[in-house]
Amino acid sequence: MVKAVGANQSTTSVDPHLYLVRPVRPRTPEGCEECLELNSPWVHLRLCLTCGHVGCCDSSPLKHARAHAAHYRHPIVQSFEPGENWRWCYVDEAFV
């Protein structure tokens, strides 16, 4: 859900990118796909809900999850951290 808050109103709408979400399996459950290849560190992991790509978060040095979303137009990720259960849309910069 995306919430838009105006001066005197609040509306809720469904994120228009949710149609891209598919049942996926993490392609590299052991870590960020690109960081593993480069032997680079990451901070947190994100799972692409269109193809299963596992990428590192925006706090990581190389920000592979955001780069993947932009390059492949796969906007919605889910946290791939134990105990976290949230999704983010890179296009709308909002939780969904």
Side-chain angles (χ1 to χ4, degrees):
M1 295 293 224
V2 176
K3 285 196 173 204
V5 180
N8 294 321
Q9 65 185 21
S10 173
T11 61
T12 302
S13 62
V14 176
D15 187 292
H17 303 101
L18 286 173
Y19 77 94
L20 293 166
V21 172
R22 311 269 188 271
V24 298
R25 278 192 202 168
R27 296 188 329 206
T28 53
E30 65 277 11
C32 173
E33 189 171 326
E34 293 85 357
C35 287
L36 288 168
E37 292 174 11
L38 298 168
N39 197 28
S40 178
W42 61 82
V43 178
H44 299 290
L45 298 172
R46 307 294 177 242
L47 174 66
C48 173
L49 293 180
T50 300
C51 71
H53 172 267
V54 176
C56 55
C57 70
D58 287 353
S59 296
S60 299
L62 299 175
K63 302 175 174 71
H64 288 120
R66 181 175 292 277
H68 172 86
H71 181 78
Y72 292 101
R73 297 185 180 180
H74 293 172
I76 299 181
V77 295
Q78 178 175 306
S79 174
F80 198 55
E81 293 297 316
E84 293 185 1
N85 186 24
W86 54 265
R87 300 184 298 181
W88 178 260
C89 178
Y90 283 113
V91 174
D92 294 321
E93 294 290 323
F95 290 101
V96 293

